[in-house]
């Protein structure tokens, strides 16, 4: 993990996470220059390197300021941009009252270097609006917590996402922000940038196994697929839940649901990292999609009570991880399903044996 490689000024944030394999390299470039963004680049070289022209990156025309050396090693590149946070309430269902939008490209961000942990491979982007006339953020903040992984495993805290070394985690956190309504709900807008010929698909998988995330049976994945061979190139994956506590428990669960995936026909928000890598015409030369992820209970009062919201998602390359039944669950299912079958078999044998047994010692009379 490198913070602002080649730049000594902490007034801006750029975090480079580099995962090196035997013959390839995965690059994650996280930044809060403009809207919070992660640039994902996969290369076929074990020695590919990130190059940044900082003067150009921080100029009004950043196109070409970020590239991978050698450029010929790049086999796939995409970006995920966290663009806006909406706050709304339902006055009369199905009517929704929206308050002024929080545009994340207008936020002021703390130095990531203060939270960078090279041992745990974690960092935190924490920000507040540059202007806050209502004072909602006077004692609160919005954050994106980033975690990189060196091996496969499962997070110890809810929602206990299963991860691989090809993935990273991002956690969206609202803490202490004063809601502007009595039953406010929040919604995060996420935009993706893909090369032509790559399409985003929203998948939903349901399972009866909730061992690791109690009461949550749905997993959602936003998967980038090649239109030529339908292979998965990258993904954004999350459980259908958020939490209202710093140490989440099952009772702290907050309902989470996703709006439909849309082709973004609006202008991509300011993100210097996206424009620095893909160019100024990124909105027309690349495929831009967007999805809104909403958080809130049935009455929207969960956040009102605790003033804390945490939502975690996994992003990475290739197919998203798939949960399988653990040995414990398989054992329970085997006992639950096997015991009735054994009882049925034994009962059938007893009945069959009883029908053949004679209950009288007298011979029948012709």
């Amino acid at each position: 993990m490198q913070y602002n490689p080649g730049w000594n000024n902490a007034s801006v944030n750029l975090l480079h996470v580099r995962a090196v394999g035997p013959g390839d390299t995965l690059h994650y470039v996280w930044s809060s220059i403009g809207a919070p963004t992660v640039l994902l680049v996969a290369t076929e070289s074990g020695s590919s390197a990130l190059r940044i022209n900082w003067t150009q990156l921080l100029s009004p025309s950043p196109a070409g300021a970020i590239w991978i050396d050698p450029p010929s090693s790049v086999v796939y590149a995409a970006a995920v941009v966290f663009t806006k946070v909406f706050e709304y309430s339902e006055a009369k269902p199905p009517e929704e009252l929206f308050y002024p939008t929080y545009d994340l490209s207008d936020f002021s961000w703390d130095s990531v270097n203060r939270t960078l942990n090279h041992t745990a491979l974690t960092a935190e982007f924490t920000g507040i609006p540059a202007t806050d006339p209502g004072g909602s953020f006077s004692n609160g903040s919005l954050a994106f917590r980033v975690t990189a992984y060196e091996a496969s495993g499962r997070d110890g805290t809810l929602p206990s996402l299963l991860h691989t070394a090809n993935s990273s985690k991002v956690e969206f956190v609202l803490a202490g922000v004063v809601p502007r309504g009595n039953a406010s709900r929040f919604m995060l807008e996420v935009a993706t940038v893909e090369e032509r010929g790559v399409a985003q698909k929203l998948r939903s998988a349901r399972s009866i196994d909730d061992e690791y995330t109690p009461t949550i049976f749905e997993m959602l994945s936003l998967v980038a697929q090649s239109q030529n061979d339908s292979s998965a190139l990258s993904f954004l994956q999350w459980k259908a839940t958020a939490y209202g506590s710093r140490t989440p428990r099952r009772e702290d669960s907050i309902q989470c649901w996703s709006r439909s995936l849309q082709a973004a026909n609006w202008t991509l928000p300011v993100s210097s990292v996206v424009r620095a890598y893909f160019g100024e015409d990124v909105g027309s030369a690349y495929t831009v999609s967007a999805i809104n992820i909403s958080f809130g209970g049935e009455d929207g009062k969960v956040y009102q009570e605790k003033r804390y919201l945490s939502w975690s998602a996994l992003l990475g390359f290739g197919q998203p991880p798939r949960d399988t039944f653990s040995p414990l669950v398989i054992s329970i299912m085997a006992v639950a399903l096997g015991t009735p079958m054994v009882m049925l078999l034994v009962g059938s044998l007893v009945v069959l044996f009883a029908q053949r047994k004679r209950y009288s010692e007298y011979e029948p009379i012709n």
Side-chain angles (χ1 to χ4, degrees), residues 69 96 152 191 347:
D69 190 23
E96 294 176 337
S152 299

Side-chain angles (χ1 to χ4, degrees), residues 321-340:
R322 292 185 178 181
D323 263 320
T324 57
F325 290 114
S326 68
L328 174 63
V329 173
I330 292 176
S331 301
I332 294 173
M333 292 176 63
V335 172
L337 298 177
T339 300

Side-chain angles (χ1 to χ4, degrees), residues 2-5 7-15 30-33 54 107-118 122-128 141-146:
Q2 294 177 297
Y3 175 69
N4 288 354
W7 186 255
N8 295 323
N9 193 330
S11 61
V12 294
N13 291 317
L14 188 143
L15 179 65
W30 300 86
S31 177
S32 59
I33 304 174
W54 281 97
F107 270 48
S108 175
W109 302 91
D110 293 342
S111 174
V112 171
N113 200 34
R114 301 174 186 172
T115 62
L116 188 58
N117 187 325
H118 289 276
T122 59
E124 184 171 328
F125 295 79
T126 304
I128 60 174
S141 64
L142 179 150
F144 292 94
R145 296 173 182 167
V146 177

Side-chain angles (χ1 to χ4, degrees), residues 43-204:
T43 71
E44 289 182 324
S45 170
S47 59
S48 61
L50 176 70
R51 305 299 184 193
I52 303 174
N53 183 329
W54 281 97
T55 303
Q56 186 176 354
L57 177 62
L58 301 178
S59 71
S61 301
I66 295 178
W67 71 97
I68 298 295
D69 190 23
S72 59
S73 65
V74 177
V75 293
Y76 173 72
V80 177
V81 187
F82 302 98
T83 55
K84 300 173 183 176
V85 172
F86 301 97
E87 182 181 349
Y88 67 99
S89 61
E90 291 187 357
K92 293 181 180 179
E95 296 179 3
E96 294 176 337
L97 172 64
F98 278 84
Y99 299 96
T101 303
Y102 293 119
D103 190 334
L104 299 185
S105 63
D106 294 332
F107 270 48
S108 175
W109 302 91
D110 293 342
S111 174
V112 171
N113 200 34
R114 301 174 186 172
T115 62
L116 188 58
N117 187 325
H118 289 276
T119 303
L121 300 179
T122 59
E124 184 171 328
F125 295 79
T126 304
I128 60 174
T131 58
D132 185 22
S136 295
F137 279 80
S138 56
N139 293 311
S141 64
L142 179 150
F144 292 94
R145 296 173 182 167
V146 177
T147 303
Y149 299 109
E150 293 182 311
S152 299
R154 186 183 296 276
D155 278 352
T157 58
L158 292 175
S160 302
L161 293 173
L162 180 66
H163 61 78
T164 68
N166 291 344
S167 59
S168 295
K169 184 181 77 171
V170 58
E171 184 180 2
F172 167 67
V173 178
L174 276 179
V177 178
V178 179
R180 290 171 285 185
N182 293 328
S184 286
R185 302 180 185 184
F186 292 92
M187 183 164 58
L188 176 65
E189 183 183 74
V190 183
T192 62
V193 179
E194 296 288 347
E195 299 172 347
R196 295 292 185 185
V198 178
Q200 289 280 355
K201 301 291 183 181
L202 181 61
R203 300 176 182 174
S204 174

Side-chain angles (χ1 to χ4, degrees), residues 348-361:
S348 300
L349 292 176
V350 170
V351 172
L352 182 61
F353 178 76
Q355 288 179 344
R356 292 187 176 184
K357 183 178 179 181
R358 293 179 180 272
Y359 291 95
S360 174
E361 296 179 355

